[in-house]
């Protein structure tokens, strides 16, 4: 098995270190040829506008979309979640539109509102230590999307999904790659 | 989950934002129009300033934090992180910038220092980036709470020579620590004038504990790729973009060269027809008092 991390910008090295710690080969993906060689993909944290724009000018949007729609397993964290989503509230930017959710960017506020906290996840015995950095949340989920974890929007009192699964697509608002917890990466291995 | 039970301003959260900026370009901007050009070009963050370093150099006098209205307008205009500079040691400027909602503060030698003591950065929720010429300086800043480091280079010159020197020095000093015997580390800490615990950590990991960007004199796509190949995590471009002939095109080219820094044919492609680069200054011709890198050691 070979897992690729989209290496246009962001913390792809941390994801690859985590993949390799699980004894799986991890490679950087910047081209369509590299995309053809992998069994699973990670779209890292970073700036979603920068990642989207680089993917667009280097002709990666269509190949990525086709591969994921054909069943390539994928995990997107933070910017990766935004890039996978079908739309973004109040922003127009290049997106893959493969995950049936509308995301809200910087949903918790600016950097001073970034935080870490223990969070329960459906199907996990112990909570994950979730690190949210200028993080998005999901504003609206489609019918085929399972919500695995949510946070409470303190303004509206509504629950906002921060970890979802749609078939072989996994997406988190937070950064498991910044912790030592490999459970979410192992979920990607299981479907790859 | 109730997010009020959470912790803000932790090391992980502060250093984590810098992790997300890696492989990207942070651009100096002085108004909303430039900030939008930078965002559209794929910048991962902007640095909100009143004047870019080349103009600070030309203007002379005391350089201070930007007018809050400029910072606020830029914060409102873009969706990417906004950084802003405070003077070295001026913790009230930093408090003001934090209150404006900036995402990172650059305690910067580009502005006129006010104190031999740097800001106690542990006291803030907002993270700080600081410049360094060598490993000792980097570890002193991290010891004061910096969550990100950048080379100082020589800002506002369009000449990358000093950034190269600082990056090579840091790499060399880190490599040296990794081959020292454990009982040689205290003497090494003394020599570096750096906190022992941080010296020990670098000796064990062979890496800085925080992200390290290149800054100071980067003016072309090749300059950015050079710094990336030398091992930095990303680049700041100060005067190099908006002091050039065609900022939007140059900004995009530098972003692409930073991503594809090992691919010479792609760097060649984006380097074509960029128009006039900023006029450079030979660092040797600078008077000692004009060398910004020697401020705040």
């Amino acid at each position: 098995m070979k897992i690729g991390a989209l290496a246009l910008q962001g913390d792809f090295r941390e994801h690859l270190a985590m993949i390799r710690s699980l004894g799986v080969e991890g490679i950087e993906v910047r081209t369509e040829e590299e995309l053809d060689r992998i069994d699973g993909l990670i779209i890292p944290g970073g700036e979603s506008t920068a990642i989207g724009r680089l993917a667009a000018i280097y002709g990666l949007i269509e190949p990525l979309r086709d591969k994921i729609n054909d069943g390539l397993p994928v995990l997107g964290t933070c910017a990766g979640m935004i890039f996978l989503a079908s739309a973004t509230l109040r922003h127009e930017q290049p997106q893959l539109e493969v995950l049936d959710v509308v995301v809200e960017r910087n949903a918790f506020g600016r950097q001073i509102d970034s935080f870490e906290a223990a969070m329960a996840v459906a199907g996990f015995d112990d909570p994950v230590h979730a690190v949210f950095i200028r993080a998005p949340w999901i504003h609206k989920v489609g019918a085929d999307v399972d919500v695995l974890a949510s946070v409470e929007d303190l303004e509206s009192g509504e629950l906002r999904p921060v970890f979802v699964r749609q078939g072989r697509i996994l997406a988190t608002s937070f950064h498991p790659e910044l912790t030592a917890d490999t459970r979410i990466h192992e979920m990607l291995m299981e479907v790859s | 989950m109730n997010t009020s039970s959470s912790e803000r301003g932790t090391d992980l959260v502060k250093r984590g934002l810098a992790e997300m900026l890696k492989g990207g370009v942070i651009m100096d901007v002085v108004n909303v129009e430039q900030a939008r050009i930078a965002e559209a070009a794929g910048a991962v963050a902007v640095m909100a300033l009143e004047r870019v370093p080349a103009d600070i150099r030309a203007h002379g006098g005391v350089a201070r934090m930007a007018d809050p209205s400029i910072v606020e307008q830029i914060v409102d205009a873009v969706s990417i992180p906004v950084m802003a500079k405070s003077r070295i040691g001026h913790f009230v400027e930093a408090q003001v910038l934090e209150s404006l909602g900036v995402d990172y503060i650059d305690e910067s030698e580009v502005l006129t220092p006010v104190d031999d003591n740097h800001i106690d950065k542990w006291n803030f929720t907002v993270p700080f980036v600081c410049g360094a010429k060598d490993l000792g300086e980097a570890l002193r800043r991290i010891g004061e709470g910096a969550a990100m480091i950048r080379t100082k280079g020589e800002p506002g010159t369009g000449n990358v020579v000093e950034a190269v020197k600082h990056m090579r020095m840091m790499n060399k000093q880190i490599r040296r620590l990794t081959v020292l015997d454990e009982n040689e580390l205290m003497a090494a800490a003394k020599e570096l004038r750096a906190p022992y615990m941080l010296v020990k950590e670098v000796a064990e990991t062979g890496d800085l504990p925080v992200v390290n960007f290149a800054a100071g004199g980067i003016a072309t796509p090749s300059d950015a790729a050079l710094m990336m190949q030398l091992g930095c995590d990303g680049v700041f471009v100060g005067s190099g973009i908006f002091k050039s002939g065609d900022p939007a095109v140059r900004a995009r080219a530098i972003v692409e060269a930073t991503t594809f820094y090992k691919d010479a044919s792609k760097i060649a492609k984006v380097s074509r027809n960029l128009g006039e680069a900023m006029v450079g200054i030979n660092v040797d011709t600078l008077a000692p008092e004009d060398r910004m890198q020697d401020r705040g050691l």
Side-chain angles (χ1 to χ4, degrees):
Chain A
M1 194 198 304
K2 200 181 278 184
I3 302 289
L6 190 65
L8 297 173
Q9 190 273 318
D11 71 337
F12 51 87
R13 284 202 302 254
E14 281 60 35
H15 278 290
L16 289 174
M18 194 156 253
I19 291 298
R20 288 165 190 153
S21 80
L22 294 168
V24 174
E25 188 181 352
I27 66 164
E28 295 179 5
V29 173
R30 291 186 184 81
T31 63
E32 205 176 332
E33 298 75 66
E34 287 162 340
L35 191 56
D36 284 333
R37 302 214 302 265
I38 56 173
D39 306 298
L41 177 70
I42 294 169
I43 305 178
E47 273 306 309
S48 62
T49 50
I51 294 172
R53 191 188 154 269
L54 285 161
I57 50 180
Y58 285 95
L60 287 171
I61 300 265
E62 287 301 324
L64 280 167
R65 186 177 288 151
D66 292 346
K67 285 265 174 197
I68 296 167
N69 282 334
D70 287 347
L72 178 72
V74 59
L75 164 63
T77 63
C78 197
M81 172 195 265
I82 297 167
F83 192 43
L84 289 167
S86 40
T88 306
L89 214 58
R90 293 189 296 273
H91 287 284
E92 289 263 335
Q93 57 189 79
Q95 283 173 301
L96 295 178
E97 299 163 23
V98 291
L99 173 63
D100 187 14
V101 301
V102 177
V103 290
E104 180 169 6
R105 288 182 57 199
N106 303 330
F108 298 88
R110 304 197 65 85
Q111 172 63 12
I112 50 170
D113 305 304
S114 294
F115 65 98
E116 48 181 298
M119 186 176 70
V121 170
F124 285 12
D125 293 337
D126 301 310
V128 295
H129 189 76
V131 186
F132 292 87
I133 298 174
R134 286 175 47 94
W137 64 33
I138 290 175
H139 179 72
K140 207 170 113 196
V141 283
D144 296 330
V145 179
D146 291 328
V147 175
L148 304 179
S150 299
V151 298
E152 189 189 339
D153 176 354
L154 295 176
E155 269 172 38
S156 68
E158 281 181 57
L159 285 178
R160 304 294 189 186
V162 292
F163 183 9
V164 295
R165 178 176 181 166
Q166 174 192 309
R168 290 176 176 169
I169 303 174
L170 298 161
T172 66
S173 298
F174 52 94
H175 294 282
E177 76 278 12
L178 293 183
T179 70
D181 188 342
T182 55
R183 285 176 293 177
I184 291 169
H185 288 76
E186 285 168 43
M187 283 174 78
L188 177 69
M189 313 280 144
E190 280 160 28
V191 292
S192 294
Chain B
M1 186 188 74
N2 187 343
T3 52
S4 63
S5 66
S6 59
E7 249 193 302
R8 295 167 199 232
T10 60
D11 270 12
L12 188 55
V13 161
K14 287 175 168 176
R15 292 176 181 187
L17 177 54
E19 298 287 346
M20 300 312 142
L21 303 177
K22 285 194 302 194
V25 182
I26 300 166
M27 302 182 191
D28 277 7
V29 298
V30 300
N31 56 41
V32 165
E33 187 200 350
Q34 290 184 355
R36 292 210 172 109
I37 291 171
E39 183 176 43
V44 291
V46 291
M47 178 77 71
L49 291 160
E50 210 157 281
R51 281 192 288 270
V52 295
D55 287 336
I56 290 173
R57 210 173 260 294
H59 194 263
V62 175
R64 309 179 180 92
M65 170 185 82
D67 186 315
S69 64
I70 293 178
V71 178
E72 277 171 334
Q73 285 162 17
I74 292 170
V75 162
D76 290 341
V78 294
S79 65
I80 56 178
V82 177
M83 300 185 169
K85 289 184 194 291
S86 77
R87 281 179 271 179
I88 289 172
H90 205 316
F91 51 85
V92 173
E93 283 189 350
Q95 290 163 3
V96 170
L97 292 172
E98 183 176 56
S99 79
L100 297 175
V102 305
D103 298 293
Y104 241 95
I105 295 175
D106 184 2
E107 187 184 16
S108 177
E109 68 281 5
V110 166
L111 306 183
T112 311
V114 301
D115 194 343
D116 289 336
N117 299 296
H118 281 67
I119 297 169
D120 179 2
K121 295 167 272 288
W122 300 113
N123 276 335
F124 289 78
T125 306
V126 68
F128 282 74
V129 54
C130 288
K133 294 196 307 238
D134 54 40
L135 182 60
E137 245 185 291
L139 296 182
R140 287 196 293 281
R141 297 297 85 79
I142 294 166
E144 295 154 2
M148 178 180 183
I149 292 292
R150 54 170 176 75
T151 61
K152 282 178 162 175
E154 190 54 46
T157 60
N159 189 342
V160 78
V161 60
E162 298 298 300
V164 169
K165 208 180 279 178
H166 301 164
M167 196 65 210
R168 282 209 182 276
M169 176 59 79
M170 257 185 254
N171 287 341
K172 188 166 82 181
Q173 291 172 319
I174 290 171
R175 276 199 306 273
R176 180 169 170 269
L177 284 187
T178 62
V179 297
L180 290 185
D181 196 87
E182 210 169 306
N183 60 21
E184 294 171 318
L185 292 178
M186 186 57 87
K190 188 175 147 197
E191 192 185 305
L192 290 166
R193 293 184 295 138
Y196 171 74
M197 292 312 287
L198 289 173
V199 168
K200 192 162 174 277
E201 185 180 344
V202 172
E204 280 162 10
T205 63
D207 207 353
L208 278 185
V210 303
V211 165
N212 186 16
F213 268 47
I218 294 158
T220 70
S222 297
D223 287 350
L226 172 67
M227 296 312 301
M228 292 297 289
Q229 287 200 26
L230 286 173
C232 70
D233 294 313
V235 298
F236 284 85
V237 185
S239 319
I241 290 172
F242 290 100
K243 282 285 159 189
S244 73
D246 192 342
V249 173
R250 184 167 294 264
R252 287 199 295 270
I254 293 177
V255 167
E256 288 167 43
T258 303
T259 289
F260 295 99
Y261 66 94
K262 287 184 203 157
D263 187 335
S265 64
K266 281 205 173 73
I267 300 167
K269 189 167 165 242
V270 301
S271 299
R272 289 195 183 107
N273 305 314
L274 289 184
E276 199 81 25
M278 73 176 282
V279 180
I281 299 173
N282 279 318
V283 179
D284 299 344
T285 65
L286 289 176
E289 63 272 22
D290 292 332
R291 283 167 60 89
M292 291 173 172
Q293 59 177 289
D294 296 333
R295 298 168 170 178
L297 299 178

